[in-house]
Amino acid sequence: MIGMLGVLLALGLLIFLAYRGVSVLLLGPAMALVAALFAVGTPLLATYTQVFMSSAGNFIVQFFPLFLLGAIFGKLMDDSGAAEAIAQGIVGKLGQERAILAVVLACAVLTYGGVSLFVVAFAVYPIAAALFRQAEIPKRLIPATIALGAFTFTMTALPGTPAIQNAIPMPFFGTTPFAAPVLGIITALVMFGLGQWWLSRQAAQARLAGEGYGEHEDAQPAFDKDQREHSSGEGFDVLMVAPEAPPRALPSFTVAISPVVLVIVLNYAFSTMIIPAMDTAYLAEARYGATTVDSVRGVWAIICSLTIACLLLLVMTWSRLAAPKRSLDDGANASVLPIFNTASLVGFGAVIAALPAFDLIQGFVESIGGGNPLVSLAVAVNVLAGVTGSASGGMSIALQTLGADYLAMAEVAGIAPDLLHRVTTVATGGLDSLPHNGAVVTLLAICGLTHREAYKDIFMVAVLFPIISLVLLVVLGSLFGAF
């Protein structure tokens, strides 16, 4: 019982202090040691060096290329004007009368192509502000509109997205980014449909009430050190991805969207055709980790697709980059803090899993859902994403502590690993977007609005509707399996 008290105290302090802006890099090891202190006989130094650091280091080894390439790709898309060109192109096609749909789709295309949600928010906000002002739609709906396109279905549900939420489950379950594709598409359509309905309904009610856009300044804010620390856990270092001076001329829509399309196409080709056709027998050797291609092909596919897309982007937009070296450097630097923050949470989860009290937690979590591992997995990931304020952090803790157990339970129940993968990714979206989430805080700061003004609509499109979609996914997966 004393050990369980330590775990609950450590988790409570982690949530409280993270919300107060204390760095997760400090909180992860500190709170892990707090939990270990309550486990009588647990050696603290060995827990730190052999459990915490080992797990955190393994996470960095596995996923650093994805954080690095994703940050560089997003920075190049931003500094070259490609992100803005895509947003303007979609908005121009749909027009003022479909302002909400235009902004949602612009965000969705960019995030599905691998652009950081922070880059998307910076790029799309000025366009959304001008469009909403012209259409007399309340500014308070802009954060929720961006959140629907950038925080929800493209990050978790759509198959093939190179988002880290879609990548982390792959080594645990031996899956690819295209796991359970049809179920993912159905879930994405439900999220999109419900969110679009809600925002359109809110805009119509505001129009009837004569609310209009409101009296607002639309200039983007500067970010101070505290905002940077609070927002960096879920995406990238916000000071590094904030846009530079606008390029001299925007690229054409075709040029701008080509790297985005290439990421998706190559991701599919590498994960389903090229890598499986390669002779990878050497992976069984000890020097290569004594593993199998199924454990690495998903990560390899994203690495290859993002690398080629970055090279194409450099070639096509070199003349539009004011300082190519600086863009590459800033993108690379922007990837460091987020992966270390997430790795710190992974290390915390590993320590918790190594404590005797974890047997009680494991038994409780696995009992949720009456023996259905999909229900238990969905609840565990969603709750952990909520309490940590991080989709990737919550998922990492859940998989680090219980991933092997869920895989074993699924095998007994005849559930495909692909279905576990898709339930895990969709479950990261929902409670992760509670008010203390770094991406929510940053988005509101970019838009110059407060939680009181805009969070209600963010909650509907980024918390409630993704949870409803998750329930549908679990029900369909339980009835029909992965497809």
Side-chain angles (χ1 to χ4, degrees):
M1 185 58 69
I2 189 71
M4 179 60 70
L5 177 63
V7 171
L8 295 176
L9 176 64
L11 186 58
L13 287 173
L14 176 66
I15 298 166
F16 174 75
L17 294 174
Y19 183 71
R20 300 289 294 177
V22 180
S23 172
V24 175
L25 286 175
L26 296 174
L27 288 177
M31 293 306 102
L33 293 179
V34 166
L37 278 171
F38 283 77
V40 180
T42 300
L44 296 185
L45 288 176
T47 297
Y48 178 64
T49 60
Q50 307 307 115
V51 181
F52 181 93
M53 286 307 302
S54 177
S55 297
N58 286 339
F59 180 86
I60 293 170
V61 168
Q62 277 187 315
F63 295 110
F64 181 67
L66 306 190
F67 280 81
L68 174 67
L69 292 168
I72 291 174
F73 182 69
K75 186 62 175 172
L76 291 175
M77 288 288 292
D78 198 14
D79 288 356
S80 67
E84 185 178 349
I86 291 172
Q88 287 189 1
I90 293 173
V91 167
K93 290 290 184 182
L94 293 176
Q96 175 181 315
E97 63 277 10
R98 297 185 181 89
I100 292 175
L101 178 61
V103 173
V104 170
L105 291 181
C107 294
V109 168
L110 289 168
T111 50
Y112 186 51
V115 181
S116 159
L117 57 88
F118 288 119
V119 171
V120 172
F122 275 119
V124 173
Y125 165 69
I127 300 169
L131 196 62
F132 276 44
R133 186 182 288 276
Q134 292 171 2
E136 297 186 345
I137 299 173
K139 183 181 180 180
R140 61 181 173 82
L141 294 179
I142 292 179
T145 304
I146 293 175
L148 176 60
F151 293 9
T152 61
F153 58 96
T154 58
M155 304 293 285
T156 64
L158 282 181
T161 175
I164 193 65
Q165 290 91 333
N166 196 38
I168 290 175
M170 295 188 300
F172 291 93
F173 301 137
T175 50
T176 74
F178 292 86
V182 178
L183 280 173
I185 291 171
I186 292 172
T187 307
L189 289 174
V190 172
M191 281 190 220
F192 168 75
L194 289 175
Q196 185 66 31
W197 164 78
W198 174 263
L199 293 173
S200 299
R201 176 177 175 271
Q202 293 299 101
Q205 290 181 345
R207 191 174 297 111
L208 289 174
E211 180 177 345
Y213 182 77
E215 297 297 326
H216 298 283
E217 293 291 334
D218 291 332
Q220 289 181 329
F223 282 82
D224 59 29
K225 184 177 179 181
D226 289 340
Q227 288 171 316
R228 172 186 184 180
E229 181 62 51
H230 198 69
S231 65
S232 60
E234 187 57 40
F236 299 107
D237 188 331
V238 72
L239 293 187
M240 292 295 181
V241 299
E244 303 290 343
R248 291 184 293 275
L250 295 178
S252 68
F253 182 81
T254 301
V255 168
I257 204 167
S258 295
V260 172
V261 174
L262 189 65
V263 169
I264 304 302
V265 172
L266 288 180
N267 199 356
Y268 180 80
F270 277 111
S271 61
T272 62
M273 292 180 285
I274 298 175
I275 294 176
M278 295 166 53
D279 180 8
T280 55
Y282 55 84
L283 289 174
E285 299 177 22
R287 58 177 169 169
Y288 298 117
T291 187
T292 64
V293 68
D294 287 339
S295 298
V296 297
R297 63 173 172 152
V299 173
W300 285 5
I302 296 177
I303 290 174
C304 293
S305 58
L306 281 175
T307 298
I308 295 173
C310 286
L311 293 174
L312 175 67
L313 191 53
L314 277 171
V315 170
M316 297 178 71
T317 64
W318 183 271
S319 62
R320 292 183 172 87
L321 293 170
K325 180 180 179 297
R326 180 176 178 180
S327 294
L328 292 170
D329 287 347
D330 284 352
N333 291 335
S335 69
V336 175
L337 185 57
I339 192 170
F340 273 85
N341 281 345
T342 305
S344 187
L345 291 174
V346 170
F348 171 81
V351 171
I352 299 301
L355 298 177
F358 183 72
D359 291 340
L360 295 175
I361 299 174
Q362 182 178 7
F364 172 74
V365 171
E366 291 179 354
S367 69
I368 297 173
N372 186 335
L374 297 180
V375 176
S376 176
L377 178 62
V379 172
V381 172
N382 217 314
V383 169
L384 284 169
V387 298
T388 59
S390 168
S392 57
M395 173 197 292
S396 298
I397 292 174
L399 294 181
Q400 180 72 33
T401 55
L402 293 167
D405 295 304
Y406 281 124
L407 186 58
M409 292 168 63
E411 290 176 355
V412 172
I415 295 174
D418 279 11
L419 184 52
L420 290 179
H421 175 126
R422 191 54 56 205
V423 168
T424 302
T425 59
V426 173
T428 63
L431 295 181
D432 71 306
S433 294
L434 290 175
H436 63 293
N437 172 261
V440 171
V441 172
T442 304
L443 175 60
L444 290 172
I446 291 171
C447 296
L449 295 169
T450 65
H451 281 77
R452 183 176 182 178
E453 291 172 309
Y455 183 72
K456 178 188 77 173
D457 299 298
I458 294 176
F459 175 85
M460 295 299 293
V461 304
V463 178
L464 180 60
F465 295 152
I467 291 176
I468 292 174
S469 303
L470 173 62
V471 172
L472 175 64
L473 172 61
V474 170
V475 169
L476 290 177
S478 299
L479 292 176
F480 305 109
F483 60 93

